[in-house]
Amino acid sequence: MTVKVVADNWLRDDSIDDFVAAASELVDETMAKDEGCIAYGLWRDSADPMHLTVLEEWVSQDALDKHIASEHFQRLFPAFGAAADPAKPGTVTIYEAV
C-alpha cells in the first residue's frame, strides 16, 4: 500500500534561499538514492510565496522509514526547522490509501 506525505513549511523571508537550496538537494538525493520513492518534489503555494510544501509518495511505510533514516535526510532536514517562521510551525501529514 502506498504512502503519501505532505510536509508544509512556512518560512521567514530571510531564509527562503537557504530552504530552497536544502530542499532541492534533498529532492535530488532522494530521487537518486531512495528505493521505493515514487514521487518527491518541492512546491510553492501560488497564493503565499512563503509557504513551500514537499509532496512525497512511497511504495510503503518501510520505504519512507528508510528515507527518514538516510544520511541525506538526516543531514538536510535540520535546515527546514532553521528556516521556519516561528509563528507558523511546519506540519507533516502522512496519508494511507483507504
Side-chain angles (χ1 to χ4, degrees):
M1 174 184 320
T2 63
V3 176
K4 295 191 182 207
V5 179
V6 177
D8 285 304
N9 303 273
W10 287 268
L11 308 174
R12 297 185 328 273
D13 189 44
D14 64 341
S15 68
I16 265 275
D17 293 340
D18 291 339
F19 179 89
V20 169
S24 295
E25 183 177 349
L26 184 57
V27 167
D28 292 345
E29 292 280 322
T30 298
M31 293 302 294
K33 296 179 179 177
D34 289 1
E35 191 173 318
C37 180
I38 298 167
Y40 202 96
L42 179 63
W43 298 83
R44 183 184 313 267
D45 183 337
S46 60
D48 181 357
M50 303 311 292
H51 177 204
L52 280 80
T53 301
V54 177
L55 299 175
E56 312 171 28
E57 185 172 10
W58 297 90
V59 297
S60 66
Q61 182 65 50
D62 184 56
L64 173 58
D65 292 343
K66 288 177 181 173
H67 162 66
I68 292 168
S70 71
E71 179 278 331
H72 50 275
F73 183 89
Q74 293 295 314
R75 177 173 46 86
L76 294 164
F77 186 72
F80 288 38
D85 179 343
K88 292 182 177 180
T91 62
V92 176
T93 308
I94 299 172
Y95 296 91
E96 297 175 346
V98 292

